[in-house]
Amino acid sequence: MLGTAVALGAGILFAPQAIAADKWGPGYLIPDSSGKPDTSHIGAYNVPGVDGVAYCGDPELAGPDAAGGYAPARTVTSWTSKTTGKAASAEDLARAAYVLGKYGQTKNDEQAAAVDAVVYTYLEPGSTYALPDGKRALERLGYSNVPPSVKKWATGYLNEAAMFAGPYKVNIKPVDGALKPGVKTSVTLDVTSASGHKVPGVKLDLDVSGAAAGAGSITTNADGVATATITPAKDGTVDLTAQAKTLPATQLRALTPNDAKAQRLLLAGGASSAQAEVHLKAESPKGGLVVTKTAADTKKPLSGVEFAVKDSTGKTVATGKTDAKGTWQATDLTPGTYTVHEVKAVEGYQLAADQQATVIDGKTADVAVKDVKIPEQPKPKPRPVTISVLPQTGA
């Protein structure tokens, strides 16, 4: 019975079958290249002492039974075909790792056979064992006991790996301008494959410092994009780290036989990770105050009047004098309530009372200050003086 395919993100999940087609593992017994029946196998192998299944990598060598055991698994950084003597490209190794990592660990006969065909295609490029045109590759998929679906799935895996195989890169789109404390800001993220395609269905774990909210996890959508919301706690730097921990494998893991006449084996499964970090600036929008100074009696501007601006704690944050037009501007003020204090008036005028002004949303607030003229002191009125005339004495 054929497996049922269900689309999920970039790939396909297949309903597993419980029984493998032969003693070696999931897949099918097929004739060897000379036509001898039931002496070859297309699919995966159950290897004693190995957790999971593995796939053969050398089609013209003896099977795992002739290996005499295998050395511990190692990471493969290069691969040379023992059939053609040619080295597989780094791109093909990564694509083989993608298919083995995502689809290799299976009990489904069709799926295992498709993965096997894909592995030979990547490790034996241009040979008779490579799809789409290799004679032996088509022969292995064309036997009567191998369902036609196997070739269809193998072709699908090859196309998918070309789009979505790694290595991977996490991308965080920078925010235009600074973030604002206490204000939610959206940040877009994606994970791109080696071919530059955005990968859907990738879970990203977020770590945010310098923000009141924003940590957690998000998953890229069908278009390969995810959106995170960050709320900075205060002015300063917000450090955002995004990590994808369960991406498909980007490197092969191989088992080397103790007897060189047997095939090397490639382990199924495996995963890779990628992360990125950005440092975002959180800053309250800056505003200011424009003080306009006039005389209360003449309505004319007063220049040279000294002012100081104090914040809510009483700290002086700006000082200055009015110009010839009677104005002075304090800039670079964060939102809040300020006190405008007249420090020194011009001669003949009284100091004005303090005024409160509020700066909001980075705008400039207008403050009108009028000075009252010092009243002139009344001149004392002269008092009449009476001088008594004393009587004269003597002659």
Side-chain angles (χ1 to χ4, degrees), residues 10 18 22 27 84 150 164 210 231 266 270 285 291 299-300 311 318 337 339 393:
D22 56 66
T84 66
V150 173
F164 297 117
T231 305
L266 284 303
V291 178
K299 306 296 188 296
K300 292 182 178 180
D311 63 16
T337 300
T339 300
T393 58

Side-chain angles (χ1 to χ4, degrees), residues 57-61 79-88 120-130 264:
D58 300 303
E60 295 189 351
L61 298 185
W79 185 277
T80 299
S81 167
K82 293 187 177 181
T83 301
T84 66
K86 295 180 180 180
Y120 279 168
T121 297
Y122 284 129
L123 301 186
E124 302 286 333
S127 75
T128 187
Y129 294 92
R264 292 168 289 179

